[in-house]
Amino acid sequence: MTDFTATKAMFHLPEGVVYLDGNSLGPLPKAAPERMRQVMREEWGEMLITGWNKAGWMAQPAAVGDRIARLIGAEPGHVVMGDTLSIKVYQALAAALTMRPERKVILSDSGNFPTDLYMAEGLIGELDKGHELRVVAPDEVEQAITDEVAVLMLTQVDYRTGRMHDMARLTKKAHENGALAIWDLAHSAGAVPVDLAGCGADFAVGCTYKFLNGGPGAPAFIYVAPRHADMARPALSGWLGHAAPFAFEQAYRAGDGIARMRVGTPPVLALASLETALDIWDGVDMAALRARSQALSERFIAAVEASCPMLDLASPRDRDRRGSQVSFRFDHGYEAMQACIALGVIGDFRAPDIMRFGITPLYIDEADIDRAAAVIARIMEQRLWDDAAYHARAAVT
């Protein structure tokens, strides 16, 4: 069993705050500042450039990738860290399209995170080979998987509503129709059990600053299935993806396996912070996490709906079709969320009308859920959201 009281004690949580926005940025692991101090003073400070060898900086992307592999059901040696999620989406999609040169359709859905669609649009423009990005409603994806499709590119858990796709079923359908499947795990890794190997996924990508608590700007990861690892073409042929980076050859030769998906210099400080978060995850059972997430989510939904009839549940009511977040629709959702934050309950807003709350069992418990629901009820009953101070839009919502 996972001791969630113990995991909560491992995070710095500001006094008086219920933090329900870990699906956007996880809180600070208490061990992170000391680890950063160690890396900056003892490694960077004392070792200088020799830290690449002595401190193992060059091996970090693969080593950390293996730790994340356990949380997403990936085979060891097939996840590597580096760059941003947008870069990893581009890499995965470019490699997949090269593997299906006779097909021109990239299939996605309207619940996908916009940057994934933007990256697809940009890649299509660069290739200029007649590819099409076909976007359908989430519940129309399965029927839209035909023998025209080259790549199925989906985010498993919808960032707005928490609606969760059936990865195994849709991957199977893609393969039956000769397509490849790319999964974005931005709202899955550290939130729900994932079985990339068991589902037969071809590629997967994800970020680490949300449920994995790696910190602002923490690096992304990419997974390539073993059967594709030595043939996937690295469109971004950076020097660290070269077969022999320090031979400094004039021409590019792709490295073996997942190493070819490395691009540039590893973000050593960011990876060090992420390592402290993964130390916490080492003691977490994903099945136990999922069960507690669902229980806390059900408690939250029941409490909010009992006192706030003006809020409409945007997330699936079926707990098994929902990721680790709960979203409500409200015409004044932005203002209401600003009121929540001012009263110590931090969630976030997604246009046009979504109030979004991350349910993160590593540091959220029943008392937090009850307090959050009570604050939301007060805001709604007393129309506190209608204060002019809450109407001014900030750059980040």
Side-chain angles (χ1 to χ4, degrees):
M1 291 291 294
T2 302
D3 184 347
F4 292 106
T5 300
T7 61
K8 182 172 185 175
M10 295 178 185
F11 289 94
H12 172 77
L13 297 164
E15 188 71 28
V17 168
V18 177
Y19 191 62
L20 299 180
D21 206 14
N23 54 319
S24 195
L25 175 67
L28 174 71
K30 288 180 179 178
E34 175 57 26
R35 173 62 178 145
M36 294 294 285
R37 186 206 66 77
Q38 177 192 5
V39 174
M40 296 183 77
R41 292 190 177 182
E42 298 175 20
E43 296 181 12
W44 180 15
E46 297 300 321
M47 297 179 189
L48 298 170
I49 200 169
T50 68
W52 289 108
N53 291 318
K54 291 180 179 179
W57 295 343
M58 193 58 72
Q60 268 185 313
V64 174
D66 274 343
R67 298 181 71 181
I68 288 176
R70 180 187 75 84
L71 301 176
I72 58 175
E75 301 90 339
H78 289 278
V79 177
V80 73
M81 311 300 303
D83 319 299
T84 67
L85 180 51
S86 296
I87 296 298
K88 294 309 177 195
V89 169
Y90 190 97
Q91 285 183 284
L93 183 57
L97 289 177
T98 300
M99 295 165 64
R100 291 294 183 270
E102 74 285 359
R103 299 188 181 199
K104 302 300 179 184
V105 175
I106 302 164
L107 178 63
S108 191
D109 76 349
S110 55
N112 207 346
F113 192 67
T115 194
D116 292 26
L117 304 181
Y118 302 160
M119 298 308 288
E121 290 174 353
L123 178 58
I124 287 170
E126 287 298 310
L127 292 174
D128 195 21
K129 292 182 178 179
H131 289 91
E132 169 196 349
L133 174 61
R134 188 173 296 172
V135 179
V136 300
D139 59 2
E140 296 173 356
V141 168
E142 188 167 6
Q143 67 190 50
I145 302 173
T146 67
D147 58 10
E148 290 183 286
V149 175
V151 180
L152 174 67
M153 182 184 73
L154 297 172
T155 297
Q156 185 188 18
V157 176
D158 187 311
Y159 76 102
R160 285 172 296 197
T161 67
R163 181 191 190 278
M164 188 162 62
H165 280 301
D166 187 328
M167 180 186 290
R169 190 177 76 245
L170 294 179
T171 299
K172 183 174 185 288
K173 179 74 178 290
H175 290 168
E176 288 172 348
N177 285 271
L180 297 172
I182 299 173
W183 290 96
D184 184 333
L185 305 179
H187 290 269
S188 304
V192 297
V194 180
D195 186 9
L196 291 177
C199 291
D202 298 290
F203 297 86
V205 296
C207 55
T208 61
Y209 51 81
K210 299 180 188 291
F211 290 95
L212 294 179
N213 311 302
F221 61 83
I222 185 169
Y223 162 82
V224 182
R227 61 188 178 279
H228 303 316
D230 288 319
M231 68 177 73
R233 180 177 175 272
L236 300 176
S237 44
W239 77 296
L240 285 182
H242 194 283
F246 289 92
F248 300 111
E249 298 171 7
Q250 289 294 304
Y252 182 80
R253 288 189 296 118
D256 292 333
I258 193 66
R260 64 181 54 196
M261 291 300 173
R262 293 180 64 165
V263 182
T265 304
V268 172
L269 299 179
L271 284 168
S273 178
L274 175 57
E275 285 174 328
T276 64
L278 293 176
D279 289 342
I280 300 172
W281 280 105
D282 285 344
V284 175
D285 175 78
M286 290 303 297
L289 179 93
R290 177 63 168 163
R292 184 158 174 79
S293 166
Q294 290 181 321
L296 291 173
S297 296
E298 293 292 295
R299 187 184 186 101
F300 184 61
I301 291 170
V304 171
E305 289 191 325
S307 57
C308 304
M310 66 290 293
L311 299 185
D312 294 324
L313 182 66
S315 300
R317 192 161 295 279
D318 181 350
R319 66 173 69 191
D320 293 327
R321 296 181 57 242
R322 191 173 63 229
S324 200
Q325 69 182 66
V326 173
S327 298
F328 290 96
R329 296 190 185 279
F330 181 53
D331 287 343
H332 303 281
Y334 179 82
E335 295 84 354
M337 185 55 73
Q338 301 317 300
C340 285
I341 293 169
L343 294 180
V345 175
I346 301 180
D348 62 19
F349 170 80
R350 289 294 177 261
D353 59 357
I354 294 285
M355 297 176 66
R356 192 175 70 156
F357 302 92
I359 308 300
T360 47
L362 290 194
Y363 49 85
I364 293 296
D365 57 26
E366 290 85 354
D368 295 316
I369 292 294
D370 294 346
R371 181 182 164 204
V375 167
I376 294 168
R378 177 185 166 203
I379 289 168
M380 294 300 161
E381 290 167 1
Q382 300 179 20
R383 290 179 61 92
L384 299 183
W385 54 264
D386 206 17
D387 189 305
Y390 304 139
H391 288 249
R393 295 279 175 128
V396 178
T397 63

